[in-house]
Amino acid sequence: MYQQLGISKEVIELVNKAEKDCKDVFAKIDAICEYNSAKVLKAFWDNNVSEVHFNSTTGYGYNDIGREVVEKVFAQVLGSEDALVRGQFISGTHALTVTLFALLRPRDVLLSITGKPYDTLDEVIGIQDNPSSLKAFGVKYEEIDLVDNNFDEQKILNRLKQGKVKVIEIQRSKGYSTRESISIDKIEDIIKKIRKVDKDVIIMIDNCYCEFVSLKEPIEVGSDIIVGSLIKNLGGGIAPNGAYVAGRCDLVELVAERLTVPGEGREVGPTLGINKSFLQGLFMAPSVVANALKTAVVASRTMELLGYDVEPKYNEDRVDIVQNIIFHNKEKLINYCQGIQMASPIDSNAIPEPADMPGYLDKVIMAAGCFTQGSSIELSCDGPLREPYIAYMQGGLTYEYGKIAVMKAVNRIINED
Ligand SMILES: *Cc1c(COP(=O)(O)O)cnc(C)c1O
């Protein structure tokens, strides 16, 4: 069958060899999946999830019992007091934006301690001018870079001693940067140290791409509020849109009042038939994340065997579902992404080309043949057209489809050579 898919014998053998090398790593991924599946199921049991919760509301969306149970289940799974899980969040960036605007007031300071945040936040924060940015509202922004992929502890603690910081942002996943993603242990460690010098600062985590990759989530190690997208890990490939915010009750309340209306907050927001998808997506998520991880691992090993730089390596501990392949070559990056697109179930005959995208500074090539537009828990691969030409590959609803995509991408790189 692989040959019928246009994959050469040589490539099939290569990827099968890479797969053999990954056996032990796959076993570790399965163990984490087993643990997180139990965690999810317990939350369904404890909250008595029932068919009545697949209800739908329209209009204002008052008294939506399904929405309430969805939010309780998410809160329990994430180890938080409260959660807001809504289709009214357009994206992860939107949920991050609403959270920042909810928590920060004029003259407050936002401090990023993982360097420059994800590209789509540039105009939100005001790193790129925008008349509607936090900066335009008088919110100050500072950042402290990582040093050798670790928090710059001394600088962070000194800054906190100097004067009020309202919100600290930690972005776990690397985004479009060349750094490593940040493990839950590193987050636990820095939060303990921050708490010794500042008990009040709100610690917010951009948790995109990291849910269910480890045994613990950031709230369980002391952060105050976390944000993530439902067209990534926790949507399990089933949620058609939306995002979540979870954490301390008082903070989630502020976010709800900003998302909808002061005085109405979480009491409104019609679910329009989405409750079942959110619940089923969360139910599938541990397994889908495991499949995405295996896809990333086999890609990493395959590309390493071919002599490319990869981050992380197949046998390194993972924090998120993102696999970087560093091509140092524009054409190879483009060919790899095009190969991923050719292997997609949807739009397999489309050839992606680098283009300008709203929210991004460089041209970006994006391969995604997804059931849900822009979904990156479904296999997708993209990269900004700038040195050192890194492909950021993530997702994969099943490992088998992921493996085929890796074969197609490698096949295309070799053919084009
Ligand atoms: C994807 C992502 C976002 C933004 O999410 P969208 O849903 O694409 O807006 C923010 N931060 C990180 C680290 C991400 O990976």
Side-chain angles (χ1 to χ4, degrees), residues 392-409:
Y392 296 78
M393 190 185 106
Q394 58 275 313
L397 297 182
T398 78
Y399 170 67
E400 290 73 18
Y401 295 128
K403 180 179 169 185
I404 292 171
V406 172
M407 289 194 279
K408 284 294 272 185

Side-chain angles (χ1 to χ4, degrees), residues 272-284:
L272 307 169
I274 213 171
N275 291 334
K276 182 180 170 201
S277 306
F278 281 178
L279 288 166
Q280 198 172 359
L282 181 67
F283 183 74
M284 295 302 294

Side-chain angles (χ1 to χ4, degrees), residues 313-330:
K313 292 209 189 328
Y314 78 103
N315 52 3
E316 282 177 312
D317 281 340
R318 279 171 195 261
V319 172
D320 58 25
I321 61 169
V322 183
Q323 178 63 45
N324 286 14
I325 304 155
I326 300 126
F327 285 103
H328 299 290
N329 176 306
K330 183 169 143 188

Side-chain angles (χ1 to χ4, degrees), residues 90-94 96 118 120-121 171-175 206-209 229 231-232 322 360 374 376:
I90 302 307
S91 60
T93 304
H94 184 214
L96 286 160
Y118 195 69
T120 56
L121 290 174
Q171 181 186 309
R172 291 181 71 192
S173 184
K174 59 181 93 78
D206 177 349
N207 206 29
C208 283
Y209 284 142
S229 166
I231 58 170
K232 294 183 178 175
V322 183
Y360 297 92
S376 47

